[in-house]
Amino acid sequence: GMLGPVYLDGSYSEIYPDKSENIEGLQRFFKQFSFPGQIGSHCTPETPGSIHEGGELGYVLSHACGAIFDNPELIALACVGDGEAETGPLATAWHINKFINPSRDGAVLPVLHLNGYKIANPTILARIPHWELDNLLRGYGWEPITVEGSEPMAMHQAMAEAMEQSVKQIRAAQEKARSSAETFRPLWPMIVLRSPKGWTGPTDFNGQKLEGFWRSHQVPLNNPRKDPEQLAALETWLKSYKPEELFDNDGRLHAELRKLSPKGNQRMGSNPNANGGLLRKKLHWPNVEALAVRVESPGQRKAENTYPLGELIRDLIKKNPGRYRLFGPDETHSNRLQAVYETTKKVWMGQYLPEDLNGSELSSDGFVVEMLSEHTLVGMMEGYLLTGRYGFFHTYEAFAHVIASMFNQHCKWLDVCQTVPWRAPIGSWNCLISSTVWRQDHNGFTHQDPGFIDLAGNKKGSVTRVYLPADANCLLAVAEEALQETNVVNIIVSDKQKHLQYLNLEDARRHVSRGMGMWPWACNDNCNGSIDHPDVVMASAGDVPTKETLAAIEILRRELPMLKIRYINVVKLFSLTLPSEHPHGINNRDFDDLFTTDCPVIFNFHGYPWLIHRLTYKRHNHANIHVRGYKENGNINTPLELAIINQIDRFNLVIDVIDRVEILGCRAAHLKQSMQDQILRQRAYAYEHGMDDPLVSDWQWTSP
């Protein structure tokens, strides 16, 4: 909400005529933005042109850099507070100048504001000698211009001169680059602004220093309502700004001052880049059918699931020049997305060595951005999205947590956008999580953490999506849907290694559209005229869990042919919950039809098992849902050994079915002991040979 009277300078009068000229008009202006269901009779909107939200510090430079990528006329003024300058993400983000091409990009103008203090401490950069700070910033590749003082009018003049000098240097560098074929990295200007903390506020109170000290942070006079001395000090402070010289008797800004406001798009809030959805154009989509993996029979051939996705991103970059970028921490090839290099390279404005010609894939005009700072990369992508373009980020699963708070802030920002009518929709925030928990053959326990999707379960369903495609064509179908949505965050979990392929593209599209469903070729509960009622439902979400579940089904159908088994694959994680909780959710009737209301359900899950229970606890058959997933058991294991020690492997799944299906029990004792023997045998094989038994690792689906 807002406190006290509100004044507008008429800057939105062209968009909302007659609604910002006086208080009555202002009330009408706000009233049109009231929303049902909000607290109070009316909900005041966000300030036009801005969403005022707090959040974690550290991303101003990376956001600014993303905004000016492929935006040649834009200068992004990035105000860095000296508290923010102490954060890890900001310290790394000084390196953005190694990725800015003056020929095709705009420019970032950082303003490092040193007022000397944080909440209750001095700041580091304000307490080192000037020469040391200058050397630090020059070492990062910036040319600092210092503005320092405490007398307002002199500081205004000095700041104006610094701004003009900075813009001239920026335009000169851009002109040099654009008028010649020379590619170079300029020494970009920046401003170091030194001004007092709490500048123009009360100098002191009750013998304690306020202005120029940490006590002036946020609320220097914290109790004027009950303390007459503080109230008097507050009145003196506010009157020192001489409001009578700014506003007339009706509380409107004087006409001569209103004339000073910039016109049209020169106003900060009216700049289209500040509402980038207005600039966003629909993606030109490539021919996905040409990228599909050929699947003649399910579970018979292997392919790298993420490679076709790399081809899709390659084609998106090619068909949408200057509007699509790929961001990742030195892992494009590792995550099997290297097909992008067929149309673009990694942007690099640093030095080149002769050996770089042999496989480094570097170019000053590339659309792939790689840097070993997930914070900076995601910040760049967010700036790119917020100015109307599209981006895709990828990372190893265990290290997605590095950007968890950024994911959190973006989700909250999107949530606020839903109640801000003037904010145009932006492209989706996309994250591919690869190098997953179940294929850490040489990295081990440190790289085994599938918990990022648990965080997504805490966010509102209106802005979050989680996908777990089991094969390459399902991943392509997911990308077709997810990458074309707006105002959402997509988390796509798909391993980069070779996996069995199950569905052709047409079937994959139908499957993704449903979110979950039976794979009929893996079921034997279709009674062809009789009532379909399985003895057990087996379900999975994720590539490795799907393979192990299907292998278990094959064993059961071979050894216990009379057992009726229904198999369900889940690709949209939130389809497990109710439609009231998430748009992907399915209603209770459809859920009951799939999972029954009384059969045991063995659910093999990619992540931590309790997430499935969180999503299904309201379902009628929840008491019969038994989930297997990662349980923090791991080392440098073979894939099957890792699956066994977390009990998501085929042998443990068969034992689960025997234990859970009442008609089995002692009737399947021989099979249960055989599975126990297999577990011991396979672990011994992995220990002796350092690899899994090929009879297991090379398993293919054989239709019974």
Side-chain angles (χ1 to χ4, degrees):
M2 285 177 282
L3 301 176
V6 180
Y7 306 96
L8 296 182
D9 63 1
S11 62
Y12 266 69
S13 57
E14 301 113 323
I15 302 176
Y16 304 107
D18 302 324
K19 289 193 167 90
S20 57
E21 292 301 316
N22 51 50
I23 297 300
E24 183 181 353
L26 182 64
Q27 291 171 341
R28 294 196 305 271
F29 173 73
F30 283 150
K31 187 175 181 180
Q32 68 174 323
F33 294 139
S34 61
F35 302 97
Q38 299 284 346
I39 296 175
S41 59
H42 298 294
C43 174
T44 35
E46 302 292 335
T47 303
S50 175
I51 293 179
H52 292 286
E53 283 291 323
E56 187 185 15
L57 299 173
Y59 307 114
V60 59
L61 289 179
S62 55
H63 280 149
C65 182
I68 60 93
F69 275 152
D70 311 309
N71 210 346
E73 301 308 314
L74 184 66
I75 296 176
L77 185 74
C79 298
V80 182
D82 46 1
E84 179 171 22
E86 295 180 11
T87 65
L90 195 287
T92 304
W94 288 115
H95 289 297
I96 59 171
N97 51 28
K98 284 76 173 178
F99 302 94
I100 299 173
N101 185 333
S103 296
R104 70 169 188 194
D105 299 327
V108 176
L109 176 56
V111 177
L112 175 59
H113 185 200
L114 302 178
N115 63 25
Y117 295 92
K118 302 186 284 288
I119 294 176
N121 280 291
T123 53
I124 294 172
L125 295 186
R127 290 290 185 96
I128 63 175
H130 287 30
W131 63 264
E132 185 178 349
L133 178 61
D134 282 354
N135 285 342
L136 175 68
L137 297 173
R138 286 193 170 90
Y140 276 129
W142 302 92
E143 184 177 347
I145 302 169
T146 299
V147 176
E148 182 174 8
S150 59
E151 200 288 307
M153 295 313 297
M155 287 287 281
H156 284 315
Q157 183 62 39
M159 191 66 181
E161 292 175 0
M163 290 287 291
E164 184 172 8
Q165 180 183 345
S166 299
V167 172
K168 285 182 176 179
Q169 288 181 223
I170 288 170
R171 295 308 188 201
Q174 292 173 335
E175 174 62 25
K176 179 180 178 182
R178 297 169 190 180
S179 62
S180 68
E182 180 184 2
T183 299
F184 68 99
R185 177 168 66 91
L187 191 63
W188 295 104
M190 66 168 291
I191 296 172
V192 177
L193 171 62
R194 295 178 182 270
S195 65
K197 181 84 167 179
W199 192 17
T200 73
T203 57
D204 58 78
F205 187 78
N206 280 345
Q208 292 185 327
K209 183 177 175 62
L210 295 180
E211 185 186 36
F213 195 54
W214 56 261
R215 284 196 177 89
S216 64
H217 189 86
Q218 291 186 341
V219 186
L221 300 171
N222 59 10
N223 195 24
R225 180 176 297 176
K226 296 182 179 180
D227 185 338
E229 288 188 56
Q230 288 197 30
L231 181 61
L234 177 61
E235 182 180 16
T236 301
W237 174 15
L238 295 181
K239 284 185 174 179
S240 72
Y241 297 118
K242 300 179 181 179
E244 68 279 0
E245 296 180 3
L246 304 175
F247 304 100
D248 62 23
N249 292 333
D250 294 324
R252 297 179 73 249
L253 195 66
H254 286 311
E256 61 270 23
L257 296 178
R258 289 207 307 272
K259 291 178 182 178
L260 297 177
S261 177
K263 304 299 181 184
N265 290 345
Q266 295 301 312
R267 297 168 300 194
M268 188 180 298
S270 300
N271 187 317
N273 290 282
N275 190 1
L278 297 173
L279 300 174
R280 184 181 60 87
K281 298 178 181 178
K282 190 174 181 180
L283 281 172
H284 297 297
W285 203 256
N287 179 16
V288 178
E289 286 80 359
L291 309 177
V293 173
R294 187 175 180 182
V295 178
E296 296 176 342
S297 183
Q300 293 292 302
R301 62 165 295 188
K302 288 185 176 182
E304 293 172 334
N305 285 352
T306 56
Y307 186 83
L309 177 64
E311 294 180 306
L312 175 61
I313 296 173
R314 172 201 65 194
D315 294 347
L316 284 170
I317 292 174
K318 186 176 182 179
K319 294 178 73 66
N320 301 274
R323 295 196 293 127
Y324 210 103
R325 287 204 180 209
L326 176 65
F327 302 85
D330 193 29
E331 296 159 4
T332 302
H333 198 286
S334 175
N335 285 332
R336 309 298 192 267
L337 302 177
Q338 67 270 26
V340 295
Y341 297 140
E342 297 170 15
T343 193
T344 188
K345 304 297 182 185
K346 292 177 281 190
V347 61
W348 182 249
M349 297 301 296
Q351 293 182 341
Y352 286 76
L353 300 176
E355 51 266 34
D356 289 327
L357 296 174
N358 185 20
S360 291
E361 308 288 1
L362 303 178
S363 171
S364 61
D365 59 357
F367 289 103
V368 177
V369 187
E370 285 195 347
M371 179 182 179
L372 269 177
S373 171
E374 290 90 345
H375 290 119
T376 306
L377 291 165
V378 171
M380 289 174 174
M381 181 179 75
E382 289 174 343
Y384 207 59
L385 297 177
L386 290 167
T387 47
R389 281 76 64 78
Y390 299 86
F392 196 99
F393 172 73
H394 61 102
T395 188
Y396 286 180
E397 184 172 52
F399 308 124
H401 293 280
V402 172
I403 48 93
S405 59
M406 302 187 75
F407 158 82
N408 179 58
Q409 293 299 317
H410 196 80
C411 286
K412 289 180 181 294
W413 187 86
L414 290 176
D415 185 43
V416 172
C417 284
Q418 293 177 347
T419 57
V420 180
W422 50 261
R423 175 66 67 173
I426 62 170
S428 55
W429 189 101
N430 303 305
C431 176
L432 170 69
I433 291 177
S434 195
S435 189
T436 58
V437 56
W438 301 111
R439 291 306 307 270
Q440 293 304 325
D441 312 4
H442 62 279
N443 284 320
F445 191 45
T446 57
H447 284 52
Q448 296 166 8
D449 190 330
F452 191 79
I453 55 179
D454 290 66
L455 178 65
N458 299 332
K459 300 296 118 184
K460 286 190 178 179
S462 56
V463 298
T464 53
R465 311 283 187 266
V466 175
Y467 299 91
L468 293 145
D471 67 3
N473 287 334
C474 285
L475 177 55
L476 284 175
V478 163
E480 276 188 299
E481 177 178 309
L483 272 56
Q484 297 189 76
E485 274 202 273
T486 57
N487 278 8
V488 298
V489 169
N490 296 310
I491 301 172
I492 305 170
V493 183
S494 181
D495 188 54
K496 63 188 181 182
Q497 307 287 359
K498 287 189 174 183
H499 293 273
L500 288 172
Q501 304 300 302
Y502 307 107
L503 304 183
N504 61 40
L505 183 59
E506 182 180 355
D507 289 339
R509 283 169 167 164
R510 284 196 292 267
H511 181 48
V512 170
S513 178
R514 285 190 295 263
M516 69 164 75
M518 294 178 287
W519 287 359
W521 47 267
C523 305
N524 70 340
D525 67 319
N526 185 345
C527 296
N528 295 320
S530 300
I531 295 176
D532 300 338
H533 194 278
D535 297 313
V536 64
V537 175
M538 301 191 72
S540 66
D543 36 41
V544 170
T546 292
K547 175 185 176 182
E548 292 303 310
T549 302
L550 292 172
I553 290 173
E554 187 179 80
I555 294 171
L556 288 164
R557 290 177 63 175
R558 181 180 68 242
E559 301 296 332
L560 302 171
M562 300 304 292
L563 187 70
K564 294 181 182 179
I565 304 170
R566 176 176 296 175
Y567 171 67
I568 298 170
N569 184 270
V570 177
V571 61
K572 292 179 177 175
L573 181 63
F574 294 131
S575 64
L576 292 168
T577 194
L578 293 165
S580 59
E581 302 297 322
H582 197 282
H584 285 176
I586 67 173
N587 61 49
N588 271 325
R589 179 64 180 269
D590 291 340
F591 189 92
D592 291 346
D593 288 346
L594 286 172
F595 288 92
T596 79
T597 59
D598 54 0
C599 281
V601 177
I602 311 299
F603 199 116
N604 213 22
F605 181 47
H606 172 87
Y608 293 108
W610 27 93
L611 178 55
I612 300 302
H613 289 295
R614 282 175 56 191
L615 297 174
T616 60
Y617 81 99
K618 287 186 178 180
R619 299 298 190 178
H620 297 143
N621 200 29
H622 179 251
N624 286 322
I625 297 177
H626 309 283
V627 187
R628 294 299 183 185
Y630 184 69
K631 298 187 293 185
E632 286 293 304
N633 296 321
N635 206 314
I636 302 179
N637 308 108
T638 64
L640 181 61
E641 184 185 20
L642 182 62
I644 286 173
I645 63 178
N646 288 280
Q647 297 181 292
I648 74 154
D649 65 287
R650 61 198 71 181
F651 310 119
N652 271 300
L653 293 176
V654 170
I655 293 171
D656 266 349
V657 171
I658 295 171
D659 289 344
R660 305 293 183 184
V661 178
E662 290 185 3
I663 63 172
L664 295 179
C666 63
R667 295 177 178 86
H670 288 283
L671 179 57
K672 182 174 181 178
Q673 181 170 302
S674 174
M675 295 297 98
Q676 292 168 338
D677 290 344
Q678 277 289 347
I679 290 171
L680 296 173
R681 186 177 296 115
Q682 294 302 329
R683 295 196 69 179
Y685 187 98
Y687 182 82
E688 180 179 355
H689 298 280
M691 58 182 291
D692 287 328
D693 182 351
L695 293 176
V696 176
S697 60
D698 295 339
W699 173 85
Q700 296 179 345
W701 171 261
T702 302
S703 179

